[in-house]
Amino acid sequence: MVGLGLIGCSWVKGLRSQGCVGEVVGYDRNLDSMQEALRTGLIDDFSTDLSLAVQASDLVIISVPILAVRQVLEDMLPGLAAETVLTDVGSVKGSVAADVAAVLGADFPRFVLGHPIAGSERSGVAAADEHLYVRHKVILTPQAHTEARALALVKSAWQAVGADVEEMMVAHHDEVLAATSHLPHLLAYSLVDTLANSHENKEIFNYAAGGFRDFTRIAASSPVMWRDIFSANKGQVLKTLDLFSHDLAFLRAAIEQDDTTTVMGVLTRAKVARDHFSKILARRAYVDPMKTASVNYLASPAGALTGSFRVPGDKSISHRSIMLGSLANGTTEVTGFLEGEDSLATLQAFRDMGVVIEGPHRGRVTIHGVGLHGLQAPPNTLYLGNSGTSMRLLAGLMAGQDFDVEMSGDESLSKRPMGRVADPLRLMGAVVDTAEGGRPPLKVHGANKLQGIHYDLPMASAQVKSCVLLAGLYAAGETSVTEPAPTRDHTERMLKGFGYDVQVDGSTVRIQSGGELTATNIDVPSDISSAAFFMVGASIAEGSDITLEHVGINPTRIGVINILKAMGGNIEVLNEREVGGEPVADIRIRSAQLKGIHIPEDQVPLAIDEFPALFVAAACAEGETVLTGAEELRVKESDRIQAMVDGLVALGVDARGTEDGARIQGKGGQGMAEAVFGSGDIVTHHDHRIAMSFAMASLRAAGVIRILDCANVATSFPGFVELSNNAGLNIEAKEG
Ligand code: S3P
């Protein structure tokens, strides 16, 4: 081991504790360090002559300041054996590669360039920590001529101490590290120096416990090491410093000009990014963020549902509030916003396109609108998670921008049909690319002149209708859409709320381009789609009596109430009122013996998201329930016909899927006290509504229902388990 600092000593200490090394010979310029390492048992021997120290070694670990590497290589050269593998731990790889080429030859095969992403502001033999690399990343940057045996040896030596090893190109490593490590160290040193030189320095250091301490901890690192890193990676360090200086000057100007919106924009974007990093770091240092922990529900039999409560805000309205608020002139205040992952994906997309959005904080969001033509190109692909509404509505809006946008989503969204929005947009003159079969990712090319069209919707879909209408804001002339059956009309209502003229004539909606959106305030009602689970739960659980407060009862959404009433449900709609153009009410539900019906097809689009819950109601009814005309259910977050039928069958219910619906034989004939469902495992296909529906089934179950993969409940209903348990359910969420 060459150089007895924290990094090398921690690695060797870890290897020793794993029993992976035979004899360790140390070398350091400092005799005291070598003696200390020998005394503490870290090394077995040392030499003051480097060429002797490395003789007959299997592996030489070079852990010295970057600019000392070349001299060290020259000094050890006479003693290097033909088989010896070498590696280093430096924070810059380009300069070490150049040193190796200069001293050992351009194609030297046994030097493996490495860099552990771990450290501490502490240094020296005494600070060595055998656990320093556990679950930390180590980046190896092998070159074309690096020998496979050498790479495998170094890789296994890192894995032995618990590190996650990754490989990267040398130049890419130096670019990434300049931004993530070198610049922050440079700023910390510079800030401390500036403050220490100021007249007030005594005051500053007296009160240095706050931001100063957090921001500058790394300025206590080794100056020699960092001097070397800044010079060895000069090009990349200067490049990222210039970028930072430019952005800092921008922030300075905004403060000088009292441009509080711009300042808020920088701060909110930074906070969101930092919160995101915190989550990643909390789970595991420097690990891919995209894997959501899996959550299963254990839903045990429960009694009645009682109480008066409010479910979270409407998802459809929350999405639209961000979209139209962002494109309006002025500041829009939203209350009751759904803080679920789907609507947050829309919010983040608009932040990525330069809109300053404050919150959400307890459902309150403040959007500083940029006007219809004020969006900026996002720096990256817009990642929309599980949210089909985000992708389809945004596709329409993006078609009208003068920049290109790519949109992607999670595994479920990546399977959903996007041809249904790409087709009409192409008719309007947009250029839209999809992956095979019209699936995401979706690329919408900017700067294409859109032409207004008339579009007859081939399916009853509010998302497609909204997509075309939103593109119509940017299309020459008039855009109109005719729908085969009424679908939710939140886009039309909210456009009117923002002062935009929309004409509705029977099943046809018309819009002209050239108008403007004017900021307004939006009170988002509770989501009837979330309320639906409790409507079903209270209906099927004997002795239940609940009131759901402030629920949106837009006539295009109340299919679930109509259907439950037709099945004999005991539902009262109370205190009807209107907030911001949307009707709301409190809904009281008491248990009732339901009966099976043939669900009227005209109710299907009005209850399209509520069928998973209604399938559970049907299983508890007396007699058969038949659903037809609902083929759209097969292309939701999962194939909801199949997922629900499979789940019901797993719990002992006689249910059968058909092409456009299902037949369910209700088991409620024995009276409300009888269990309907057995225990069993439910495969949700990561679909939030499948998970929540089967949670309600536990109210009439004989045993525990294990519901798999429920993490996506957070897309539409954060706090579902807590609220449900308060109302009388008995659900345990288990991280799997
Ligand atoms: C939605 C429309 C519906 C619905 C979805 C939300 C909307 O989708 O299922 O959850 O906000 O416009 P379709 O338009 O595909 O029916």
Side-chain angles (χ1 to χ4, degrees), residues 315-316 320 389 392-393 420 460-464 466 488 608-609 632 636-637 689:
K315 185 151 75 78
S316 294
R320 288 158 171 85
T389 309
R392 296 203 177 113
L393 270 59
R420 55 178 60 197
S461 166
Q463 292 181 354
V464 181
S466 301
R488 65 192 68 193
I608 193 69
D609 289 340
E632 276 293 301
K636 294 293 178 190
E637 284 85 327
R689 299 201 197 280

Coordinates of all heavy atoms in Angstrom, one line a residue, residues 315-316 320 389 392-393 420 460-464 466 488 608-609 632 636-637 689, ligand 1:
K315 N -58.0 14.1 -8.7 CA -56.7 13.9 -9.5 C -56.9 14.7 -10.8 O -56.0 15.4 -11.2 CB -56.5 12.4 -9.7 CG -55.2 12.1 -10.4 CD -54.7 10.8 -10.0 CE -55.5 9.6 -10.6 NZ -55.1 9.3 -12.0
S316 N -58.0 14.5 -11.5 CA -58.2 15.1 -12.8 C -58.1 16.6 -12.7 O -57.5 17.3 -13.5 CB -59.5 14.7 -13.4 OG -59.5 13.3 -13.7
R320 N -55.1 19.5 -14.1 CA -55.5 20.6 -14.9 C -55.2 21.9 -14.3 O -54.9 22.9 -15.0 CB -57.0 20.5 -15.3 CG -57.2 19.3 -16.3 CD -58.7 18.8 -16.3 NE -59.0 17.9 -17.3 CZ -58.8 16.6 -17.3 NH1 -58.3 16.0 -16.2 NH2 -59.2 15.8 -18.2
T389 N -52.8 10.5 -17.5 CA -53.4 11.8 -17.7 C -52.3 12.9 -18.0 O -52.4 13.7 -18.9 CB -54.2 12.3 -16.5 OG1 -55.1 11.2 -16.1 CG2 -55.0 13.5 -16.8
R392 N -51.0 12.2 -21.7 CA -51.9 12.5 -22.8 C -52.3 14.0 -22.9 O -52.3 14.5 -24.0 CB -53.1 11.6 -22.7 CG -52.8 10.1 -22.8 CD -54.0 9.3 -23.2 NE -53.6 7.9 -23.3 CZ -54.1 6.9 -22.6 NH1 -54.9 7.2 -21.5 NH2 -53.7 5.7 -22.8
L393 N -52.5 14.6 -21.8 CA -52.8 16.1 -21.8 C -51.6 16.9 -22.2 O -51.7 17.8 -23.0 CB -53.4 16.5 -20.5 CG -54.9 16.4 -20.4 CD1 -55.4 15.0 -20.5 CD2 -55.4 17.0 -19.1
R420 N -53.8 7.0 -29.6 CA -55.1 7.7 -29.5 C -54.9 9.2 -29.4 O -55.8 9.9 -29.7 CB -55.9 7.1 -28.4 CG -55.2 7.1 -27.0 CD -56.1 6.6 -25.9 NE -56.5 5.2 -26.1 CZ -57.6 4.7 -25.4 NH1 -58.2 5.4 -24.5 NH2 -57.9 3.5 -25.6
A460 N -64.8 6.9 -25.9 CA -65.2 7.9 -24.9 C -64.1 8.2 -24.0 O -63.9 7.5 -23.0 CB -66.5 7.5 -24.2
S461 N -63.2 9.1 -24.3 CA -62.0 9.4 -23.5 C -61.9 10.9 -23.2 O -61.6 11.7 -24.2 CB -60.8 8.8 -24.2 OG -59.6 9.4 -23.5
A462 N -61.9 11.3 -22.0 CA -61.7 12.7 -21.6 C -60.3 13.1 -21.8 O -60.0 14.2 -22.1 CB -62.1 12.9 -20.2
Q463 N -59.4 12.1 -21.7 CA -57.9 12.5 -21.9 C -57.7 12.8 -23.4 O -57.0 13.8 -23.7 CB -57.1 11.3 -21.5 CG -57.1 11.0 -20.0 CD -56.2 9.9 -19.6 OE1 -55.6 9.2 -20.4 NE2 -56.1 9.7 -18.3
V464 N -58.3 12.1 -24.3 CA -58.1 12.4 -25.7 C -58.8 13.7 -26.1 O -58.2 14.6 -26.8 CB -58.6 11.2 -26.6 CG1 -58.3 11.5 -28.1 CG2 -57.9 9.9 -26.2
S466 N -59.4 16.2 -24.1 CA -58.6 17.3 -23.5 C -57.4 17.6 -24.3 O -57.0 18.7 -24.5 CB -58.3 17.0 -22.1 OG -59.4 16.7 -21.3
R488 N -65.8 13.1 -18.6 CA -65.5 14.2 -17.7 C -65.2 15.5 -18.4 O -64.4 15.5 -19.4 CB -64.5 13.8 -16.6 CG -63.1 13.6 -17.1 CD -62.2 12.9 -16.1 NE -62.7 11.5 -15.9 CZ -62.3 10.8 -14.8 NH1 -61.4 11.2 -14.0 NH2 -62.8 9.6 -14.7
I608 N -65.9 5.3 -15.0 CA -64.9 4.5 -15.6 C -63.8 4.1 -14.7 O -63.3 3.0 -14.7 CB -64.3 5.2 -16.9 CG1 -63.5 4.2 -17.7 CG2 -63.5 6.5 -16.6 CD1 -64.3 3.1 -18.4
D609 N -63.4 5.0 -13.7 CA -62.4 4.6 -12.8 C -62.9 3.9 -11.5 O -62.1 3.5 -10.7 CB -61.7 5.9 -12.3 CG -60.8 6.5 -13.4 OD1 -60.5 5.8 -14.4 OD2 -60.5 7.7 -13.3
E632 N -62.7 -0.1 -22.4 CA -61.7 0.8 -22.0 C -61.0 0.4 -20.7 O -59.8 0.7 -20.5 CB -62.3 2.2 -21.8 CG -62.4 3.0 -23.1 CD -61.1 3.4 -23.7 OE1 -60.3 4.0 -23.0 OE2 -60.8 3.0 -24.9
K636 N -56.4 0.6 -18.9 CA -56.1 1.5 -17.8 C -54.7 1.2 -17.2 O -53.9 0.5 -17.8 CB -57.2 1.4 -16.7 CG -58.5 1.9 -17.2 CD -58.5 3.4 -17.5 CE -59.8 4.0 -18.1 NZ -59.7 5.3 -18.6
E637 N -54.4 1.6 -15.9 CA -53.1 1.3 -15.3 C -52.8 -0.2 -15.4 O -51.6 -0.6 -15.3 CB -53.1 1.8 -13.9 CG -52.9 3.4 -13.8 CD -54.2 4.1 -13.9 OE1 -55.2 3.7 -14.6 OE2 -54.3 5.2 -13.3
R689 N -55.9 1.3 -8.0 CA -57.3 1.1 -7.8 C -57.6 -0.4 -7.5 O -58.6 -0.7 -6.8 CB -58.2 1.7 -8.9 CG -57.9 3.2 -9.1 CD -59.1 3.9 -9.8 NE -58.7 5.2 -10.2 CZ -58.6 6.3 -9.5 NH1 -58.9 6.2 -8.2 NH2 -58.2 7.4 -10.0
Ligands
S3P1 C1 -59.0 11.1 -16.9 C2 -59.8 10.5 -17.8 C3 -60.1 9.0 -17.8 C4 -59.7 8.5 -16.4 C5 -58.4 8.9 -15.9 C6 -58.4 10.4 -15.7 C7 -58.8 12.6 -17.0 O1 -59.2 8.4 -18.7 O2 -59.7 7.0 -16.5 O3 -58.2 8.4 -14.6 O4 -58.4 13.2 -16.0 O5 -59.1 13.1 -18.1 P1 -59.7 8.2 -20.3 O6 -59.8 9.5 -20.9 O7 -58.7 7.4 -20.9 O8 -61.0 7.5 -20.1

